Amino acid sequence: MSKIENNVLIIGSGPAGYTAAIYAARANLKPHLVSGLEPGGQLTITTDVENYPGFGDVIQGPWLMEEMKKQALNVGTIFHNDIVTSVNFDNNPFISNTESGKEFISKAVIIATGAQARWLNLESENKFKGFGISACATCDGFFFKDQIVIVVGGGNSAVEEALFLTKFASKVILIHRRDSLRAEKILQDRLFKNNKIEIIWESKVKEFIGEDNPQSLKEVLLENTKNGKTSKIKISGAFIAIGHDPATSLFKGKIDMDSENYIITKNDSTETSIKGVFAAGDVKDKIYRQAVTAAGMGCMAALEAEKFIAENN
Ligand code: NAP
């Protein structure tokens, strides 16, 4: 096992993690960043990005993350393509161990592990993931030109995805388990006005049905949540948009979290219930969930970590 004593360990490599790294490195803290399972985070499964400020033209999510990484490395971040498997926040310095056998001994830790799309957790969903089933319309919508697709969910994400998919699909069917949507009124208005979109209320997916060779999705079996009646629809694609879960299982019982497992931070701060441990981005934010807000929080976390280290060493 290799032991690495350091000032600040950043866990996660999305906009929050890289921004924290850029600020910590420029404060001469020589930060170490452990990338996690999906280096670059959620933006690497996005295509067009047109709301990240500073770019006149549309940019690509994966490209933006590569640039953030380059910037973090250029100013002195030490990057580890590795996964943190355990943390011990009982005493400072904090101990974090990784899959490859590294042990980080850190004066401060910034958690920027982000969030992941939620799935329905059906066996048939696993079978057709990547073969017709997706959690990202912006990534995969293009593949369903002139075909029929469903979107599952009733929140802002589901409605936005359904609207986006009408650019490609011949018909988009929104499947929602209740009789009213959670999405904002303005989005609902756009949805109801769009004649390519049909809504099936009070229904849930019971099973995805398709062919094995080549693996492809053909139908969905729905169940009415009120009367239990089932029905089948022919589809080519299914987009699951039922929310996200923060990637916090590693920190369970070690740090305060809310009922949905988001890390709780102090008001106007990224400081968690453990002094010297900070959280930034989607791992603590269920409201905004934007790359730019995550980046802003990453900056705050690095500034707060710098102050903490200066005051405590
Ligand atoms: P969300 O608001 O939590 O909505 C999730 C939806 O999925 C709900 O309608 C929920 O149904 C449904 N759902 C959850 N689990 C399900 C299951 N197992 N089976 C079937 N349906 C299920 O999630 P979100 O839409 O991803 O949005 C998350 C946050 O990001 C929200 O705060 C949202 O405002 C924000 N956001 C904002 C924008 C924007 O401002 N443009 C865009 C996207 C997201 P119920 O309604 O019955 O609970």
Side-chain angles (χ1 to χ4, degrees):
M1 181 193 294
S2 68
K3 293 193 185 227
I4 303 170
E5 284 187 30
N6 63 103
N7 289 307
V8 54
L9 175 70
I10 298 160
I11 310 176
S13 57
Y18 281 139
T19 309
I22 292 162
Y23 274 78
R26 296 193 76 254
N28 223 4
L29 291 175
K30 301 185 177 59
H32 287 251
L33 183 147
V34 178
S35 66
L37 246 184
E38 283 171 22
Q42 292 179 71
L43 270 186
T44 56
I45 53 158
T46 311
T47 50
D48 292 357
V49 175
E50 51 184 19
N51 57 6
Y52 197 85
F55 303 94
D57 296 320
V58 176
I59 53 167
Q60 299 297 303
W63 176 84
L64 179 61
M65 296 321 298
E66 270 307 308
E67 291 299 307
M68 283 194 203
K69 180 178 175 183
K70 259 193 242 165
Q71 193 176 354
L73 295 179
N74 286 346
V75 290
T77 303
I78 301 126
F79 182 87
H80 304 264
N81 198 351
D82 204 347
I83 298 166
V84 174
T85 49
S86 71
V87 292
N88 184 340
F89 295 154
D90 289 348
N91 298 298
N92 193 317
F94 307 117
I95 311 287
S96 310
N97 290 95
T98 73
E99 197 176 68
S100 77
K102 288 176 191 139
E103 182 167 282
F104 291 93
I105 302 154
S106 321
K107 293 175 187 168
V109 171
I110 296 175
I111 300 170
T113 45
Q116 289 141 357
R118 215 178 269 158
W119 295 95
L120 296 169
N121 291 325
L122 298 167
E123 212 174 289
S124 54
E125 178 187 54
N126 279 335
K127 189 169 168 191
F128 294 106
K129 249 185 222 173
F131 298 95
I133 300 181
S134 163
C136 176
T138 36
C139 320
D140 301 323
F142 182 78
F143 303 119
F144 298 93
K145 210 163 182 306
D146 300 324
Q147 298 178 47
I148 299 173
V149 298
I150 60 166
V151 175
V152 182
N156 278 350
S157 300
V159 173
E160 280 191 346
E161 299 234 321
L163 289 165
F164 176 80
L165 286 164
T166 59
K167 290 190 200 177
F168 312 100
S170 56
K171 184 175 174 186
V172 179
I173 306 167
L174 186 85
I175 314 285
H176 185 39
R177 62 184 178 184
R178 292 188 296 124
D179 64 355
S180 65
L181 298 170
R182 186 180 289 275
E184 286 162 19
K185 186 79 179 52
I186 184 165
L187 286 173
Q188 294 196 29
D189 288 347
R190 275 187 223 152
L191 184 87
F192 297 145
K193 270 190 208 142
N194 194 311
N195 55 21
K196 267 192 170 181
I197 297 176
E198 182 191 318
I199 305 172
I200 299 184
W201 301 101
E202 296 179 326
S203 293
K204 64 178 188 186
V205 173
K206 212 164 150 47
E207 194 185 347
F208 292 104
I209 302 158
E211 282 171 8
D212 285 342
N213 209 357
Q215 211 161 348
S216 58
L217 182 64
K218 297 285 176 201
E219 283 180 310
V220 62
L221 178 67
L222 300 178
E223 182 181 70
N224 186 291
T225 52
K226 279 274 158 70
N227 58 26
K229 278 192 183 153
T230 57
S231 57
K232 269 187 194 170
I233 331 174
K234 287 200 184 321
I235 55 166
S236 303
F239 290 84
I240 315 300
I242 58 170
H244 288 79
D245 289 316
T248 51
S249 52
L250 190 60
F251 312 106
K252 233 176 189 161
K254 301 187 173 171
I255 206 165
D256 287 356
M257 295 182 199
D258 69 10
S259 58
E260 294 171 82
N261 297 324
Y262 285 85
I263 294 175
I264 297 171
T265 54
K266 303 215 161 79
N267 275 348
D268 297 327
S269 165
T270 61
E271 196 186 337
T272 67
S273 53
I274 308 274
K275 279 198 181 316
V277 178
F278 305 87
D282 286 12
V283 76
K284 63 138 281 181
D285 167 34
K286 56 184 160 193
I287 300 172
Y288 304 106
R289 301 177 46 237
Q290 300 300 304
V292 65
T293 47
M297 283 181 251
C299 160
M300 287 167 64
L303 296 177
E304 289 182 296
E306 182 190 359
K307 189 163 176 275
F308 173 81
I309 291 168
E311 285 172 0
N312 290 276
N313 291 278

